[in-house]
Amino acid sequence: MGLNILILGASYGSLLGTKLLMAGHDVTLVCRAATADLINDQGTDVRIKLRGEEAHRPIQSGAQPGTLTAQSPGEVDPGAYDMVALAMGEPQYSMEDIRVLLSRIAAAKLPCLSIMNMPPLPYLKRIPGLDTKALEASFNCPEVWADFDPDLVTLCSPDPQAFRLPDHGPNVLHVGLPTNFKAAAFGKPEHTEMLRRIEADIAAITLDGNDVPVKLRVHDSLFVPFAKWSMLLTGNYRCVEPDGVRAIRDAVHGDLSLSRSIYARVDEIVRTLGADTADQVPFEKYAAAANGLLKPSSVARAIDGGTSDVERVDMLVKLIADQLGLGSPLIDAVVETVNSRLTQNQRAAA
């Protein structure tokens, strides 16, 4: 019998949702009412390129063994689910209807798998020695996490890159980089076993006899998902410039020596927290992948579009570095540029 999994976020969340549906599990996507109506009427269409094929394959939810539904936040009954996946951007959790739903999820004691770049505060509480109170300044709404049991929250690095297509509806997702989700274990063994079951079910999926990319990999280490921090600080947040944005490729390769130094510093911060070198991605591998990243990051595009509410992994890393005595002018410069652009946006909106 399949699991029943609730996913908050119908954009990036539909990628994980599709893999779960293909593995025979039932999924509910939480989204705006209009998007929920569209998904309930037409389903989702996630497009993935299989190895050896030139074109992306459309994988439609209605053709899968699992059942997909979509609901607005107020319609959700948390007690009906085995697990929750948190797939919204961190600022979205400050919306009133989402805050109410999060409170109900925390009260239901459901295991939560976060696939945000920004780790939820309860997950950071699982890291020995961290003063999480001092990290709250990097969160848009830290109080929404107050009622969560840290043992019931784990983190999954959202390494696959996917985006909505501008000429299609919000139920269509294009996977540009079909890498794997890397999840840390839960604090409770029974929930980790649930994750490992999902890992095995997804690994067994084939399409016309072909392997389907984007797996779930479960790791014992709490620090495997933090490997992405070096990439985010070196590439994604450095797409933000004082007067515009640039592609990830240009951010990384515009000054390769500087990029290498930032990457190494963030790696050092994560290792000081407790990561093993084996948990991390070599700079050379990331730099090679960045050659194909020809657009600005989503956080840069959002800032350039005028928003003042974005995930602040850059700020989180700075605050952790300062706690560990590893503060760096290189990281501070990234944070200061983002701060400046957000301040400009706030003033423009006032």
Side-chain angles (χ1 to χ4, degrees):
M1 185 176 177
L3 298 170
N4 198 10
I5 299 176
L6 181 70
I7 300 180
L8 275 61
S11 179
Y12 193 75
S14 66
L15 173 55
L16 177 62
T18 291
K19 297 307 299 273
L20 291 166
L21 293 170
M22 296 177 81
H25 302 292
D26 294 335
V27 172
T28 298
L29 297 174
V30 178
C31 50
R32 295 184 178 91
T35 303
D37 290 342
L38 176 65
I39 290 172
N40 288 327
D41 182 49
Q42 299 181 11
T44 57
D45 180 349
V46 174
R47 300 177 181 184
I48 301 177
K49 184 182 288 188
L50 275 58
R51 188 170 297 165
E53 295 187 357
E54 291 299 320
H56 280 65
R57 287 268 198 124
I59 302 176
Q60 297 175 336
S61 58
Q64 309 312 319
T67 299
L68 176 69
T69 56
Q71 294 181 343
S72 59
E75 297 176 298
V76 174
D77 173 14
Y81 298 94
D82 299 298
M83 182 181 288
V84 177
L86 304 171
M88 293 177 170
E90 186 268 331
Q92 292 179 273
Y93 295 97
S94 63
M95 296 186 295
E96 182 60 27
D97 54 353
I98 298 297
R99 293 176 64 164
V100 171
L101 177 55
L102 282 179
S103 178
R104 294 167 61 215
I105 289 170
K109 302 294 183 183
L110 291 173
C112 295
L113 172 69
S114 171
I115 56 172
M116 298 187 291
N117 279 322
M118 190 75 171
L121 272 168
Y123 184 78
L124 292 171
K125 290 179 180 178
R126 295 176 59 192
I127 308 300
L130 267 187
D131 175 8
T132 55
K133 187 70 178 175
L135 305 179
E136 290 184 0
S138 60
F139 287 80
N140 283 270
C141 192
E143 57 269 24
V144 301
W145 306 108
D147 295 333
F148 282 83
D149 179 348
D151 281 342
L152 293 174
V153 179
T154 197
L155 184 65
C156 182
S157 180
D159 291 355
Q161 294 192 357
F163 52 89
R164 285 175 167 167
L165 296 169
D167 53 345
H168 290 73
N171 61 329
V172 178
L173 191 75
H174 181 93
V175 181
L177 185 63
T179 49
N180 297 323
F181 290 109
K182 299 174 186 174
F186 279 105
K188 297 187 177 181
E190 62 267 30
H191 299 139
T192 300
E193 285 306 307
M194 196 183 304
L195 266 188
R196 294 197 184 279
R197 173 186 169 184
I198 294 170
E199 176 185 35
D201 291 345
I202 289 176
I205 296 169
T206 59
L207 197 57
D208 297 334
N210 297 318
D211 181 67
V212 181
V214 186
K215 312 290 187 182
L216 174 68
R217 305 297 190 202
V218 182
H219 299 263
D220 292 330
S221 171
L222 291 173
F223 305 100
V224 169
F226 293 171
K228 195 171 183 184
W229 287 2
S230 302
M231 307 174 202
L232 293 171
L233 269 290
T234 304
N236 296 47
Y237 284 94
R238 289 178 63 233
C239 291
V240 181
E241 296 189 290
D243 56 358
V245 296
R246 56 183 169 175
I248 294 176
R249 179 192 62 184
D250 299 334
V252 175
H253 288 273
D255 185 336
L256 203 59
S257 177
L258 175 59
S259 294
R260 187 187 300 274
S261 297
I262 295 170
Y263 199 94
R265 187 63 162 188
V266 180
D267 272 357
E268 181 185 3
I269 292 163
V270 175
R271 285 196 303 273
T272 303
L273 285 176
D276 190 278
T277 302
D279 295 336
Q280 298 177 316
V281 177
F283 174 75
E284 291 73 18
K285 184 175 181 180
Y286 170 65
N291 270 319
L293 301 177
L294 307 181
K295 296 180 179 180
S297 63
S298 58
V299 70
R301 295 196 305 270
I303 291 173
D304 211 45
T307 189
S308 57
D309 297 320
V310 295
E311 287 190 334
R312 295 302 308 271
V313 181
D314 61 319
M315 175 72 77
L316 175 65
V317 172
K318 171 190 162 45
L319 294 176
I320 291 174
D322 291 345
Q323 267 192 48
L324 299 175
L326 293 172
S328 164
L330 300 178
I331 293 173
D332 291 349
V334 176
V335 172
E336 287 165 9
T337 299
V338 175
N339 284 347
S340 176
R341 290 294 305 276
L342 291 175
T343 299
Q344 291 175 34
N345 288 350
Q346 290 164 357
R347 289 172 178 166

